[in-house]
Amino acid sequence: MRIGVFVCQCGTNIAGTVDTAAVARKALTFPDVVYATSYMYTCSEPGQKEIQNAIKEHNLQGVVVAACSPRMHEPTFRRAVEKAGLNRYMFEMANIREHVSWISSDREANTLKAADLVRMAVAKLALNQPLFSSKVPINKRVMVLGGGVAGIQAALDCSEGGLEVVLVEKNSSIGGKMAQLDKTFPTVDCSSCVLGPKMVDVSQRENIKLYAMSEVDSISGYVGNFTVQVRKKATYVNWDLCTGCGICTEKCPSKQVPDPFNQYLAPTRAINIPFPQAIPKKATINKDYCRQFTKGKCGVCQKICPVGAIDYTMQDEIVTEQVGAIIVATGFDLFDYSAYGEYGGGRYPDVISGLQYERILSASGPFGGHIKRPSDGKEPKNIVFVACVGSRDPSVDRPYCSGVCCMYIAKQAILTRDHIPDSNCYVFYMDIRAPGKNYDEFVRRAQEEYGVQYVRGRVGKIYPKGDRLVVQGADTLLGVQVEVEADLVVLATGIESASGAQELAEKLRISYDQYGFYLESHPKLRPVETNTAGVYLAGVCQGPKDIPSSVAQGSAAAAKVQALFSRDTIETDPQVALVNERACIACGKCIEVCPFGAIQWKELRGGGRKAEVLPSVCQGCGLCNATCPPKAIQLQHTTDSQILAEVNILCA
Amino acid sequence: MSEIKTKQLRELVEAAFPELDTVIGWEAGYDALHTTPVFIKDAKDIGKLVWNPLCVRNLSGYLVKTPPVQSADENKKIGIFVKGCDSRSIVALIQEKFITRDKLYIFGVPCQGTIDWRRVMKAAPLKNIQSVKMDEKQLVVEDADGTHSFALEDVLARKCLRCAYPNPLMYDVLVGEPVAPRVTVKNAYKDVQELENRSLEERLAFWTKELDRCIRCYACRNACPLCVCQDRCIAETREPKWLSQYMHTSEKFLFHFIHSMHLAGRCTECGECERVCPMGIPVTLMKEELNKITRELLNYEAGVDPNAVPPLLTFSPNETGI
């Protein structure tokens, strides 16, 4: 092969500690290398031009650029060599910046190492093969998992763009956590008033198909062509008939049923609609508390239902949906405050979570919007807010900031002072984190206009005294211990990943971090994509964020889907596994280990079978290659022979 | 003892034979110290079958090695004799779907250990062997020079001295009564433990000395019932070129590493590789070491549960132990 080597100086980035001219001279002595040079900025227009000219002039069949990390400029150079008539995979990059010049100032050693890396790239390139992409059609339907505000926004934006949307929500209504909030910061506008119209919009769009009380069972396929099995959980109410009139709830004799929507502050009935603005507004039976199921007789709702919608024999139903892209917006759960035994959350009825306080504040909440203590219904006068409960605390394995607690307790304190003007509000905080638009002003307003007393320090202990609670903590600014007698304590419980997030990630074949938040492709430059093509992220499932950011990410995910669907076909990446059928022993081990379901059996005409890779599903992880005993399955562009060639150079 | 069992197994084969196409078993070899595999296709040959402590060979490889023993008649099964260790190979092959249980009729033989004839010959060079008898303590061989007796520990195969599974784990019919295992699974890895206790340099010296004798005849690979690549073995392919013709200890190391890695969590320690090695290299030790690690890290033992998946042949994001 005739190979050209181009050693980039990257200004002084590389040339400062590497003798690039010497590397180029040395490269000329390597097998197959017929041309080598050094240039100031190889990625610049003239730098690329020089490569293209050299390809023509020296009749090059392959090009090595020794420069920076391929992450950024490999596509640039691939395009450049392609324009000069080479296959884009007849190109290799040696990273002599991040791997050499930036990590050592020993010029002599650096120059030797750079030459070695070039030599490895040359040895690999000598075994490169031209590779070609194929095209697969795109099914232009999108599935949105999760009907919180991020999912709703994504669904509406996709629908707006004319796409067919399948929205899957695990609860009986969409709305998510935002539907449980009373007001939103920093504008203090009514949460359900701003969310409600969007929810109604979802139900009215003809191109949005909503599956509430549903979860994803399994996912197969690949970008452009996913097949998703959705489990519609039995509600025991025929939703095609149910009008949401609510008579069943009124008459249901099972009255002590825990109500997750109201955060267990007040009971609900065994058949209920979670809240007045629910979409879809349909009743659901809680089987664990329904007398028909627990005692075998009751049937009140069935008798009373004016449309005969009650069906105690209903079973889960599996529906299959074909979509081309999936937006994951599965939200979050709240930190379990009982982990802090010293705060007494869960033991003392008047130590509550932030979300419980939202329900207390809400006009549709258990107390009709009047602030009352859960224990005795009295109006509290002294209210203490404790920040960072399950945030920024490595001792409970939650070292990250939940991002919203500072703001929501400022909001709740303001609302408290509004509701009960003669109340005293105290906030124990570590730092105030209010980086959003108008956020810091909002916190200042709480402090200055509303007279909320901010105490910088952690709470050490909360214990009951009579019918009140004593909050003991430190004021680290004054350097004193403080004690506040409180009627009500609100713990600003932090955010954690939704339960079941990891199981779903495995179905979707996306990555998650150690806390269960889904990993974006790149923390800065690809914040919406996952490493599985065609699967996008929106909202808190990717990491703690507030409503504006969740909505923005929902729209961003929708934009990504629109961009994907703006083409009729997609080009596959040819750097995937390929089976050499002559060497395949049909042991099927590759099929077992493939985490993407990208390998299947191919039945041969004369009987017998061989493994076959679906190139559009394969992510090129190489597990199959490592597992295959006769190495019949090879990653294109990173074959065993190519790796061995590099290793041999390194060890020579 | 052996005679009784031989009689019993012939009767069992006789009874099952109408539904069998071929029975793979052992017959007398060229002298009393050897047996050899036999393939019974005709009922009149059933009398050839024998069972004694010299029935060393693991027959399960015949089910998968080219050409595999298969039944021409779909309704008939292949009968096969297995000892405890051999049955684990069958289980492993079923796990990996190379064979299916319903095509097999398994005659299980509880085994109190097999004789390593090389150890016998090392202990005493024998000529014109007339008869071989084994009881619970010793092996008695009669040859041209008279009668020789050997303590069992001195002549049993190494794998038998560390056998935790003397009774077949899977069978249709058992020949005789189950026997007590010599060691527990936990104590089966004393040989590699002894090696592990040596320093890195000593271990390297040990293996360099042993593997330097390797002539790369690949008998170990060919005898292994779980080495299923056969003609596609990467020891012989040149694309990818993992191994060259270069005759150096490094290439021999690499071959044995590849062989062992391909068997990690799969090897059932039947000892065939070590038995067939013409150079007497203890190659099963490498696989024992990997199995020991697999057991410790992943709590997995090869060839025990036909429904289990060998841990290195699956992708489990929630894998524990690593």
Side-chain angles (χ1 to χ4, degrees):
Chain A
M1 188 183 286
R2 296 177 63 82
I3 292 174
V5 174
F6 300 83
V7 186
C8 179
Q9 296 163 9
C10 198
T12 55
N13 268 314
I14 294 171
T17 58
V18 174
D19 184 346
T20 50
V23 174
R25 277 198 304 281
K26 197 156 184 195
L28 265 177
T29 67
F30 299 157
D32 297 321
V33 176
V34 294
Y35 178 76
T37 185
S38 163
Y39 194 77
M40 180 86 104
Y41 287 109
T42 312
C43 62
S44 66
E45 275 292 326
Q48 292 183 45
K49 200 88 209 147
E50 187 174 276
I51 296 175
Q52 289 163 339
N53 290 341
I55 289 173
K56 293 194 179 105
E57 213 171 295
H58 299 275
N59 204 12
L60 300 179
Q61 293 166 303
V63 167
V64 170
V65 170
C68 50
S69 156
R71 180 124 199 154
M72 181 80 183
H73 276 309
E74 192 172 55
T76 314
F77 293 121
R78 279 185 176 164
R79 273 195 302 272
V81 301
E82 198 168 45
K83 274 188 197 157
L86 293 187
N87 182 280
R88 58 163 67 195
Y89 294 97
M90 299 309 285
F91 167 79
E92 284 300 324
M93 214 160 164
N95 184 355
I96 61 167
R97 192 176 73 177
E98 285 86 340
H99 287 179
V100 182
S101 70
W102 277 359
I103 54 169
S104 162
S105 53
D106 183 339
R107 192 173 173 84
E108 200 179 330
N110 280 359
T111 306
L112 282 175
K113 185 179 173 187
D116 272 351
L117 292 180
V118 171
R119 190 167 184 158
M120 282 167 68
V122 169
K124 176 174 185 267
L125 176 61
L127 297 172
N128 276 16
Q129 295 284 333
L131 300 177
F132 302 92
S133 321
S134 53
K135 288 193 160 106
V136 289
I138 296 176
N139 178 354
K140 295 185 184 181
R141 295 178 87 221
V142 56
M143 178 171 282
V144 179
L145 302 181
V149 67
I152 288 174
Q153 187 65 39
L156 288 176
D157 285 355
C158 288
S159 145
E160 191 76 30
L163 300 179
E164 254 185 76
V165 181
V166 182
L167 178 58
V168 180
E169 165 59 46
K170 75 173 171 187
N171 292 323
S172 70
S173 167
I174 57 170
K177 295 282 190 298
M178 187 175 169
Q180 288 172 276
L181 306 182
D182 176 42
K183 303 280 193 309
T184 59
F185 59 78
T187 44
V188 201
D189 46 0
C190 161
S191 186
S192 53
C193 309
V194 289
L195 182 65
K198 280 188 186 289
M199 290 167 61
V200 173
D201 218 7
V202 167
S203 68
Q204 288 177 346
R205 291 280 174 88
E206 278 182 6
N207 56 359
I208 298 182
K209 191 194 256 184
L210 173 61
Y211 291 115
M213 278 301 269
S214 299
E215 281 182 279
V216 167
D217 236 30
S218 68
I219 298 167
S220 59
Y222 47 91
V223 57
N225 296 281
F226 291 105
T227 301
V228 188
Q229 308 268 5
V230 177
R231 177 180 293 272
K232 290 171 73 178
K233 287 176 281 187
T235 57
Y236 310 103
V237 178
N238 183 340
W239 281 6
D240 292 336
L241 301 176
C242 177
T243 59
C245 69
I247 293 177
C248 52
T249 308
E250 227 170 88
K251 301 291 179 193
C252 176
S254 180
K255 292 175 182 166
Q256 292 301 318
V257 179
D259 182 7
F261 186 81
N262 275 323
Q263 289 290 292
Y264 312 103
L265 287 165
T268 182
R269 308 285 172 100
I271 182 165
N272 74 79
I273 297 167
F275 56 102
Q277 303 91 336
I279 297 287
K281 198 176 178 190
K282 307 285 180 188
T284 306
I285 290 180
N286 184 336
K287 201 178 166 186
D288 298 340
Y289 293 88
C290 171
R291 291 187 186 193
Q292 185 68 31
F293 286 99
T294 55
K295 299 215 165 65
K297 57 177 183 187
C298 176
V300 169
C301 50
Q302 195 169 44
K303 274 171 228 143
I304 205 99
C305 179
V307 291
I310 311 297
D311 175 8
Y312 299 121
T313 64
M314 192 182 265
Q315 299 288 323
D316 285 6
E317 188 192 338
I318 308 275
V319 287
T320 305
E321 287 290 346
Q322 311 278 351
V323 293
I326 298 172
I327 295 173
V328 190
T330 44
F332 64 102
D333 275 337
L334 285 176
F335 180 79
D336 176 9
Y337 54 29
S338 64
Y340 290 92
E342 65 272 30
Y343 292 172
R347 272 186 295 138
Y348 311 139
D350 294 333
V351 177
I352 60 172
S353 75
L355 194 56
Q356 284 179 317
Y357 198 48
E358 290 290 339
R359 293 315 302 151
I360 289 175
L361 290 165
S362 169
S364 67
F367 308 142
H370 299 294
I371 301 179
K372 292 178 186 173
R373 318 203 304 176
S375 62
D376 52 13
K378 279 190 200 154
E379 191 179 77
K381 290 288 180 234
N382 279 8
I383 295 137
V384 171
F385 296 89
V386 182
C388 294
V389 178
S391 299
R392 301 177 66 197
D393 188 352
S395 73
V396 292
D397 195 29
R398 296 287 177 269
Y400 56 84
C401 173
S402 293
V404 292
C405 320
C406 287
M407 295 305 299
Y408 80 64
I409 47 181
K411 174 196 72 183
Q412 289 176 347
I414 287 176
L415 290 172
T416 308
R417 297 272 295 151
D418 259 345
H419 280 263
I420 315 168
D422 62 342
S423 62
N424 300 306
C425 289
Y426 303 87
V427 173
F428 282 85
Y429 70 101
M430 287 172 35
D431 304 290
I432 298 296
R433 302 208 157 173
K437 187 173 172 181
N438 291 328
Y439 282 14
D440 203 55
E441 298 92 314
F442 184 71
V443 176
R444 288 212 162 273
R445 218 160 76 224
Q447 293 170 334
E448 290 160 11
E449 273 178 49
Y450 285 85
V452 178
Q453 302 201 37
Y454 272 70
V455 184
R456 187 180 186 279
R458 285 205 81 114
V459 169
K461 194 177 174 190
I462 298 169
Y463 59 92
K465 186 179 174 191
D467 70 341
R468 307 184 88 187
L469 297 153
V470 179
V471 180
Q472 274 187 346
D475 185 330
T476 54
L477 293 180
L478 293 178
V480 294
Q481 294 294 313
V482 282
E483 254 188 32
V484 181
E485 281 201 19
D487 302 303
L488 184 67
V489 177
V490 179
L491 303 178
T493 37
I495 284 172
E496 63 184 23
S497 60
S499 66
Q502 292 162 9
E503 287 77 8
L504 181 65
E506 269 132 38
K507 287 176 190 166
L508 288 159
R509 299 174 189 120
I510 60 177
S511 322
Y512 47 88
D513 67 17
Q514 56 185 314
Y515 307 110
F517 293 111
Y518 298 149
L519 276 187
E520 61 282 3
S521 234
H522 188 282
K524 290 178 282 285
L525 303 178
R526 297 179 61 150
V528 180
E529 294 98 322
T530 64
N531 280 330
T532 299
V535 178
Y536 304 94
L537 301 176
V540 184
C541 66
Q542 179 253 342
K545 55 178 71 67
D546 56 17
I547 292 168
S549 305
S550 296
V551 171
Q553 206 180 10
S555 287
K560 286 286 167 190
V561 172
Q562 305 269 16
L564 175 73
F565 287 180
S566 64
R567 289 163 291 178
D568 294 326
T569 56
I570 40 170
E571 275 200 1
T572 59
D573 183 348
Q575 297 179 93
V576 294
L578 183 72
V579 177
N580 173 1
E581 282 185 16
R582 281 182 303 173
C584 174
I585 55 162
C587 66
K589 293 177 176 43
C590 51
I591 298 175
E592 299 277 338
V593 298
C594 178
F596 302 100
I599 311 177
Q600 60 183 22
W601 287 116
K602 174 184 175 184
E603 304 293 335
L604 301 181
R605 262 185 306 171
R609 56 191 187 172
K610 299 285 179 182
E612 181 185 42
V613 176
L614 298 166
S616 46
V617 189
C618 177
Q619 302 289 314
C621 73
L623 268 183
C624 54
N625 171 232
T627 307
C628 177
K631 302 293 170 210
I633 192 159
Q634 292 283 325
L635 261 187
Q636 297 306 290
H637 211 59
T638 319
T639 62
D640 283 12
S641 295
Q642 289 180 310
I643 295 170
L644 287 169
E646 290 179 296
V647 172
N648 283 340
I649 290 298
L650 204 58
C651 301
Chain B
M1 178 72 186
S2 297
E3 289 76 19
I4 301 168
K5 263 204 178 173
T6 297
K7 185 163 172 282
Q8 203 180 346
L9 76 86
R10 285 179 189 164
E11 283 166 9
L12 288 169
V13 174
E14 194 97 48
F17 204 74
E19 55 165 319
L20 304 181
D21 175 278
T22 308
V23 174
I24 314 173
W26 304 277
E27 67 175 344
Y30 62 90
D31 70 14
L33 201 55
H34 291 83
T35 64
T36 194
V38 63
F39 302 83
I40 310 283
K41 285 186 171 289
D42 198 323
K44 69 178 193 309
D45 292 331
I46 291 173
K48 288 181 179 174
L49 288 166
V50 298
W51 163 255
N52 60 45
L54 296 155
C55 297
V56 190
R57 182 147 192 175
N58 178 356
L59 304 170
S60 58
Y62 289 118
L63 298 171
V64 284
K65 296 278 176 173
T66 315
V69 178
Q70 279 170 341
S71 173
D73 181 347
E74 244 181 52
N75 300 316
K76 288 196 169 182
K77 298 179 177 185
I78 301 296
I80 185 164
F81 277 90
V82 295
K83 306 183 289 293
C85 48
D86 309 340
S87 76
R88 291 178 63 195
S89 309
I90 299 266
V91 171
L93 289 170
I94 289 171
Q95 282 179 336
E96 296 182 31
K97 302 184 183 70
F98 286 105
I99 51 176
T100 49
R101 178 69 180 90
D102 57 359
K103 299 275 186 216
L104 296 177
Y105 191 93
I106 303 173
F107 299 91
V109 199
C111 166
Q112 277 170 318
T114 56
I115 302 296
D116 180 345
W117 66 270
R118 280 198 270 200
R119 295 187 78 192
V120 176
M121 297 304 273
K122 226 178 212 174
L126 304 171
K127 279 178 204 141
N128 287 331
I129 294 159
Q130 307 296 319
S131 74
V132 175
K133 282 203 171 62
M134 182 174 118
D135 62 27
E136 303 204 332
K137 291 218 170 64
Q138 58 177 359
L139 179 82
V140 181
V141 184
E142 206 184 320
D143 80 341
D145 300 334
T147 309
H148 308 262
S149 43
F150 306 89
L152 277 189
E153 297 85 79
D154 297 333
V155 290
L156 281 183
R158 188 175 69 81
K159 67 159 178 174
C160 301
L161 290 168
R162 50 177 292 272
C163 175
Y165 292 99
N167 301 305
L169 295 172
M170 180 185 269
Y171 55 82
D172 289 285
V173 60
L174 205 57
V175 187
E177 294 301 313
V179 296
R182 217 170 278 272
V183 297
T184 60
V185 176
K186 230 182 133 187
N187 295 322
Y189 292 96
K190 283 196 172 136
D191 294 347
V192 281
Q193 188 63 57
E194 193 267 317
L195 258 182
E196 274 181 33
N197 292 340
R198 299 192 202 175
S199 73
L200 215 55
E201 292 75 24
E202 285 173 319
R203 268 184 277 167
L204 181 64
F206 171 83
W207 283 114
T208 309
K209 181 167 168 277
E210 291 293 337
L211 291 182
D212 196 39
R213 300 207 306 280
C214 173
I215 54 171
R216 277 167 74 185
C217 67
Y218 301 139
C220 49
R221 175 197 72 188
N222 295 353
C224 175
L226 287 159
C227 263
V228 287
C229 300
Q230 303 186 54
D231 285 345
R232 311 283 181 247
C233 176
I234 64 164
E236 282 152 323
T237 58
R238 289 295 172 262
E239 180 57 53
K241 190 177 178 179
W242 276 91
L243 285 170
S244 71
Q245 303 289 58
Y246 181 48
M247 284 307 288
H248 188 271
T249 319
S250 64
E251 299 288 295
K252 301 173 184 179
F253 262 100
L254 189 55
F255 167 71
H256 287 284
F257 287 161
I258 293 172
H259 187 187
S260 305
M261 282 309 293
H262 283 185
L263 286 161
R266 298 174 67 229
C267 171
T268 56
E269 297 161 33
C270 70
E272 284 292 280
C273 48
E274 195 163 309
R275 180 183 70 82
V276 299
C277 178
M279 307 307 287
I281 303 169
V283 283
T284 314
L285 273 179
M286 289 195 189
K287 291 112 194 174
E288 284 166 33
E289 173 66 29
L290 285 169
N291 273 5
K292 179 168 174 279
I293 294 169
T294 313
R295 215 178 83 79
E296 287 165 358
L297 281 185
L298 302 159
N299 192 26
Y300 178 82
E301 245 189 305
V304 175
D305 172 7
N307 297 316
V309 181
L312 297 186
L313 301 185
T314 183
F315 176 77
S316 165
N318 298 324
E319 205 146 61
T320 51
I322 301 280

